[in-house]
Amino acid sequence: MTYTRHKIKRVLLHIILLLVLYILQTSVFTRLRLFGVYPMLLPLAVVGIGLFEEGLWGGIWGIAAGVLCDISMADSFLLFTVTLTVIGFFTGFFSEFIIARGFPSFFVLSVISLILIALLQMFKYLVFYKVDFMLLSKVALYQTLYSAIFIIPVYYPVRRVTRRTRA
């Protein structure tokens, strides 16, 4: 297979993965809310792509996933685009030089990313709308825990796509 065909296949597999997770996150799980929240699947994919590919790919797919998240959530102007880009890039950077590429790293980085995203979502409501911290932290905890349930189900397709494209 030529280099160009390989690169096109690589990009298409990543696009399909992100679109499937986007559809699940926005169409399926928005109807299956637990405690008023639904899981965030795209940040998990960004962590995986960054971890198993490299910083540049993690950043690029962080932008794509962030735009999709911002489109689906009306009140998150550029929050996910910027956050997921940074998460994807630095996950990839750290996986090249500091941390091992494997499930334990994926799990820890996914949990850290979910907590970071929940805190950033809380910020606006804490600062500008003066919403009670305990109420917001309870919602953030529910969202983080509900999303964390999907760490293993997201890990395997991400690992398969990145393994197939790295070969």
Side-chain angles (χ1 to χ4, degrees):
M1 187 182 318
T2 64
Y3 179 73
T4 306
R5 284 184 62 193
H6 174 71
K7 199 166 215 161
I8 291 170
K9 181 180 177 184
R10 182 179 184 187
V11 170
L12 287 175
L13 285 172
H14 284 73
I15 288 172
I16 290 168
L17 175 68
L18 285 180
L19 288 177
V20 166
L21 291 175
Y22 173 72
I23 289 167
L24 286 172
Q25 178 177 304
T26 59
S27 298
V28 176
F29 289 113
T30 54
R31 301 196 188 328
L32 299 173
R33 294 178 185 251
L34 287 179
F35 304 110
V37 298
Y38 61 90
M40 302 291 296
L41 303 178
L42 289 175
L44 303 176
V46 170
V47 167
I49 291 171
L51 184 67
F52 298 120
E53 295 282 358
E54 58 186 31
L56 179 63
W57 275 86
I60 289 169
W61 294 108
I63 291 171
V67 168
L68 290 174
C69 282
D70 283 330
I71 287 171
S72 67
M73 297 177 200
D75 65 339
S76 65
F77 180 72
L78 291 179
L79 170 74
F80 288 100
T81 303
V82 173
T83 305
L84 293 183
T85 302
V86 170
I87 287 171
F89 175 77
F90 281 107
T91 299
F93 177 78
F94 291 140
S95 74
E96 288 183 53
F97 301 108
I98 298 172
I99 58 176
R101 293 179 170 151
F103 181 74
S105 299
F106 177 76
F107 182 83
V108 170
L109 291 172
S110 293
V111 171
I112 291 170
S113 298
L114 292 171
I115 292 169
L116 175 66
I117 288 168
L119 291 173
L120 290 173
Q121 287 177 304
M122 288 172 49
F123 180 78
K124 176 175 76 170
Y125 296 103
L126 278 172
V127 174
F128 298 115
Y129 298 111
K130 308 294 185 209
V131 177
D132 181 44
F133 176 77
M134 292 307 292
L135 177 68
L136 289 175
S137 60
K138 190 162 81 168
V139 172
L141 178 66
Y142 291 153
Q143 176 180 299
T144 302
L145 291 175
Y146 193 14
S147 300
I149 292 170
F150 295 94
I151 289 175
I152 293 173
V154 170
Y155 172 78
Y156 287 106
V158 168
R159 186 70 178 134
R160 184 176 176 116
V161 165
T162 56
R163 188 175 277 160
R164 184 176 289 168
T165 57
R166 283 199 115 179

